[in-house]
Amino acid sequence: MATRTLDSASDGLNPSRRAFLRASVAVGGGFALQAILPGVANAAGEGAAASGGAPINAYVRIAADGVVTILSKNPEIGQGIRTALPMVIADELDVAWKDVRIEQAPLNEAAFGRQSAGGSNSTPTNYDPLRRIGAAGRQMIVAAGAQGWGVSPEECDTEAGVVHHRKSGRSMTYGALAEKAAAQPVPDLASVKLKDPKTFKIIGQRIPGVENAKIVTGEPIFSIDVTMPGMLHAVFEKCPVFGGKVTRANIDAIKALPGIHDAFIIRASEANPSKDPEGLVDGVAIVAKSWWNANKAREKLEIVWDEGPNAAHSSEGFAAQAAKFAAGAPATSLRSDGDAAAGLKGAAKIVEADYSYPFLSHIVLEPQNCTAHFKDGKIAVWAPAQNPGPGQKLVAKTLGLPEKDVTVHMVRGGGGFGRRLQSDFMAEAAWISRKVGAPVKLLWNRRDDMQHDFYRPAGFHHLKGGLDDKGALVALTDHFVTFGKDGKPANSSNTMPPTEFPAQLVPHLNYGQSVIEFGVPTGPMRAPRSNALGFVFQSFMDELAHAAGKDPVDFRIALLGEPKILPSTPGKPDPIRDFNTGRMRDVLLKAADVSDWKNRHKLPKGTAKGVAFYYSHLGYFAEVVQVTVSPSGAIKLDHVWAVGDVGSQIINPAGAEHQVQGAALDGLGSALGQAVTIERGRVVQANFDSVLPLRIDQSAQVDVHFVTSDYPPTGLGEPALPPVLPALCNAIFAATGKRIRSLPIDTQMLRA
């Protein structure tokens, strides 16, 4: 199957644009292959590399004993990228996976380009260029072997780290050829010959995570495990009201407690004068010989806070404001097609509903933490950052240092889900380390994590849909109420795109928006925007289908219509990002097939299936959820069927399945027991007794299926999550006749 090559216009790579590849003899012998790739490396890095002025980091090293070391460039937070990306290089290089060793690349975005974990971008950004690096290395090793034998490279082939000349029966290992390969001409990455995907030996195989054994045996590989000689431990108490300031605190009493090294007030006016949203806020730091000492001393803190204007905010107040907004016209228009008012007026049937969803905390299992060591005017930090580059910039800005004097070590994170895209914990640790003049590990507790998050924003939607006399959707309006400042959404996570489905498929459509002023920090959470909008629109599609007397699958198929491309940005066609109704139709039909949707009416009373689909982060997913609802309202998750189209190739089926299963279970958990509520400007919930992750005995079997298509491979961290929430709610409606329009699900309303 042919595949399209991503280019810089779609955040991918076009290797024809000034790619740089260098080969050298590795330290201790062997072969080192180094690269800077356009579209990945920044312009400054490319230019410097061309002139020989910038360090170019080795992606691949082949030792004389045949061991191949591959650098993994992006942070690992459980998404499996430290295994998947090296698999791509190893397959094109044509080495045996047992001979591969993987190391974390250093943070060097001039050489490696963006090194982050977010947006499901790692695969689409790196797949093609990393294949080319591996293929280039293979070509150079073959050339070295052919040169030694006095034959044409075309007469040679490779297999599992060995070059063969079949005609003469000769062969040599990559290790034996490594140094000679370093002297071969470096191939042009744009024209290097790639493998036919049919010949892949590693890509497409179920490869266990490279750190699985270390994880299950408890080896210290996570950021929370970092230790160093002379290290102190720190906690940081912040105002429970966002934006509050310290008036006074019993610092001297805290310093006198056993095991305490220091305690001091941090002022945002000094540490964050520019008011960076991720920068330091007012609080009290306690530094001790152990985290236990620091945390016990924290219990004796007495702080008088100036809580500021945000103390007036509450979830109840936000809901009241949203209701007032919904009763009037939107403040701004997001999209207007046809004449929605006239379309609704002429409809045979109108469906009207209000949907809402709460603030959510990321609840990563490993709380925020960072180890920092300030010494001789420079600082090194060890952090589970999803965005280490911006984290480096934030630390430099906080301490007033040049970025070159800030070293960030990327350490495996115990989950991220978007929370570690913000680097506030890195700035805190850096400031505290400089203050005490020693290495410091800052560790948040669970209350810190839940009450000082960058939350998935809450939202409210007032929807109206008009159906004609044949049950077709002819008109739709949505008044979206979100959160922000000065009438504008606070950030992209608080927005709704004008192309949100079913836009461009309904003749009369109007999306409008109003903004509630607030002071709660918000940010991306796994499948930003989509994790909430999918619930709203796919639940409302189900309402419309039932109102039309249509099968929910058939209703969606009719709405998608004949295969077509719907632009994601008006006037800017992008074949990679634009919504392909044909791809969505295929995954929806596959989901209906594998879930035996047509026989759902044969299920016993109280048991039912619901369906939904969603396009998110370049991935197309349709999911069916089966639930059983007891007369008491208890929900039992029976089964989930998830079908996705993420392009032409699944790199690691084991990792891919885990990502889809994790995303589905993550979404189900958020629907069933998670919400963050605000009272008097502060978060009420503080631990897992009030924010409830999905328990093992609650989880369902998740069957994962993929539909391949003629498109580049894309990521899987996020796109499987959005459709599972509405599929669950739609299944509950089918089982009980009661519609879920607000999350988390209130099981009391489901009582028979």
Side-chain angles (χ1 to χ4, degrees), residues 114 116-119 278 385-387 390 417-423 524:
R114 188 180 180 195
S116 67
E278 297 180 35
Q386 287 185 243
N387 229 356
F417 314 116
R419 174 57 181 94
R420 303 191 208 270
L421 290 169
Q422 283 83 20
S423 306

Side-chain angles (χ1 to χ4, degrees), residues 108-126:
N108 185 344
E109 293 191 332
F112 290 110
R114 188 180 180 195
Q115 293 175 271
S116 67
S120 299
N121 282 319
S122 294
T123 294
T125 302
N126 292 288

